[in-house]
Amino acid sequence: MVVTDAESPLLGEITCGTLLQKLQEIWDEVGESDEERDKLLLQIEQECLGVYKKKVEQAAKSRAELLQTLSDANAELSSLTTSLGDKTFLNGIPDKSSGTIKEQLAAIAPALEQLWQQKEERVREFSDVQSQIQKICGEIAGGLTNEVPIVDESDLSLKKLDDFQSQLQELQKEKSDRLQKVLEFVSTVHDLCAVLGLDFLTTVREVHPSLDEETGVQSKSISNETLSRLAKTVLTLKDDKKQRLQKLQELATQLIDLWNLMDTPDEERDLFNHVTCNISASVDEVTSPGALARDLIKQAEVEVDRLDQLKASRMKEIAFKKQSELEEIYTRAHVETNPESARERIMSLIDSGNVEPTELLADMDSQIAKAKEEAFSRKDILDRVEKWMLACEEESWLEDYNRDQNRYSASRGAHLNLKRAEKARILVSKIPAMVDTLVAKTRAWEEEHSMSFAYDGVPLLAMLDEYGMLRQEREEEKRRLREQKKVQEQPHIEQDSAFSTRPSPARPVSAKKPVGARANNGGANGAPNRRLSLNASQNGSRSIAKGGRRETLDRPAAPTNYVAISKEEAASSPVSGAADHVSASP
């Protein structure tokens, strides 16, 4: 038929009808029978039916494929929106459910393409964030890995991405904190190595090779192991620094002691200023480079050994200097010693050679330490004794001041004496309390140390007891004088009342004489000469403290006219004299 059509170009438009007509013409020309023609026509009809059927099947298959494609597209669209967590995106797709399949596919395709692009971009973001998280976690754990993180494409929502970014920010902050801590540790190690004279690079490279100065800051190790090893290194260096400083301070103390013992000139001492400058420094205060280097400590040890050898050759001189120091401590503490016998003992020990110089000096150092402890235990009582003696001196001065009949005159400096007298009266009034406190503390000290508290060889309690007796006798004497004065003044008062006359200015003067005479007789006969004035008691106390002998307790007696002087003063100034005597008493 194709050939026939090719051979008949004049047939025009070919249709089924024209073809059938052409076939009839051929059959007529050939002379085909009707049966044959019907058979052929049935065959043609069957073949056409098969072609139609095949085409229908193809069309149905194509439709099914389009429907499957549409279904897959819808499923993928739903999956992408669910994975991206943005279901609002579906609202922007036009509804083509009533249109043809191709129209529906055409409507979904752009949105699907856009979601695919968004998914690829989101996957890259997730991969980038997870890669950074994995890297930082590896740096913290101390094990770096080159594995690409697996992104869970089932959940690519912004919420999950924000969670990863928050985790990344926390890890970045932790990394920054760790890096800062590492840098602080490295800086501390650098400073400690400088002070100790150690090689910094070698020290930090032993911890981790990335900690040297050539490695960038961001490339330094921040792992737990690195931080732990850095902390241990710092602790070890600090302990080493502490031990070296203690050793250096001990050497410096020995150097100073040896220099002081042998009067080493300042020129030689200045050579070791770098050693002695840190003798009282704390560990944190020592920051100078090389201040605790091993060479420096070794140099100080060599110098101490040299001075020790020199000290052995000057043993006698050094021992006497220590003895002088011991005597000075006891002198300041008012402890009686026998320096002559001590020096003779030192001379005999050195000359005999039976004792090692170091042992002798160690024994003397022990005695000095013991003396310092004893002096420290006596300090509180000695300070109170000093205040008591000063108060007694003021009491003696106040007694002399009260005897002065010109104390209220307008002479130069009289106002200063008045002020001093007021202060002295206040101080004197506190003497009994001072004595009571001093007695209590002295007894407590004696109970604690199981020995008597001596002041320059004299028991302090004996001094205080004698002072108390003298003061009591003095108070009794003053009270007796006041009573005697009242008895002597009584006849004059009665005579004045009987005559009701005003006494003449000269009358008290004439009345004063017999009182003075009686007072002189009373002072010479009635009052024993052993009574001591306050001034005498003070002189006696001082002699006890400084003389160091018990027999000095026998103080000089008061003058025989002491009572008469007091009574004459009372008679010449009845009001002021009595007031002054009362104020002078504690």
Side-chain angles (χ1 to χ4, degrees), residues 426-447:
I426 295 173
L427 184 60
V428 168
S429 66
K430 298 178 180 179
I431 289 181
M434 288 184 184
V435 173
D436 293 341
T437 303
L438 198 53
V439 169
K441 286 189 171 293
T442 303
R443 287 175 178 170
W445 187 93
E446 291 182 351
E447 291 178 1

Side-chain angles (χ1 to χ4, degrees), residues 100-276:
T100 63
I101 297 174
K102 290 186 177 181
E103 287 176 349
Q104 293 182 37
L105 285 172
I108 292 176
L112 199 58
E113 182 68 23
Q114 185 176 353
L115 286 175
W116 268 107
Q117 293 178 357
Q118 187 174 352
K119 178 181 179 181
E120 291 176 357
E121 183 180 353
R122 192 71 59 81
V123 168
R124 285 194 299 270
E125 292 179 357
F126 269 86
S127 179
D128 181 49
V129 172
Q130 287 181 248
S131 297
Q132 295 184 55
I133 291 175
Q134 181 176 312
K135 180 182 178 182
I136 296 176
C137 289
E139 291 177 354
I140 293 175
L144 297 179
T145 177
N146 295 325
E147 295 181 2
V148 179
I150 299 175
V151 179
D152 182 12
E153 297 185 4
S154 63
D155 187 3
L156 299 174
S157 62
L158 291 175
K159 182 178 180 301
K160 187 171 183 181
L161 182 61
D162 290 340
D163 292 341
F164 275 120
Q165 289 176 341
S166 298
Q167 182 182 357
L168 177 60
Q169 289 177 357
E170 292 178 359
L171 288 173
Q172 287 175 340
K173 183 178 183 302
E174 183 178 356
K175 177 181 178 180
S176 177
D177 294 341
R178 284 171 171 265
L179 186 59
Q180 182 65 30
K181 189 177 293 185
V182 166
L183 294 177
E184 290 177 357
F185 275 135
V186 170
S187 177
T188 303
V189 171
H190 180 275
D191 295 340
L192 290 172
C193 287
V195 174
L196 298 174
L198 302 176
D199 185 17
F200 165 69
L201 293 178
T202 303
T203 304
V204 294
R205 283 172 181 166
E206 290 177 355
V207 177
H208 197 276
S210 66
L211 299 179
D212 58 12
E213 298 175 346
E214 298 176 357
T215 307
V217 175
Q218 296 299 327
S219 301
K220 295 186 181 300
S221 174
I222 59 171
S223 65
N224 294 329
E225 182 181 1
T226 300
L227 285 173
S228 176
R229 294 184 66 182
L230 275 175
K232 289 180 180 178
T233 301
V234 170
L235 183 61
T236 301
L237 292 176
K238 285 185 175 180
D239 290 342
D240 192 13
K241 180 182 179 182
K242 182 179 180 181
Q243 293 175 4
R244 291 194 190 187
L245 179 60
Q246 184 177 359
K247 177 66 174 177
L248 191 69
Q249 288 177 340
E250 291 175 357
L251 292 172
T253 303
Q254 294 177 21
L255 282 175
I256 292 176
D257 292 341
L258 291 170
W259 287 339
N260 293 336
L261 284 174
M262 294 181 286
D263 293 330
T264 304
D266 293 339
E267 292 77 9
E268 293 186 20
R269 300 188 184 196
D270 292 341
L271 297 176
F272 290 88
N273 279 339
H274 55 288
V275 176
T276 58

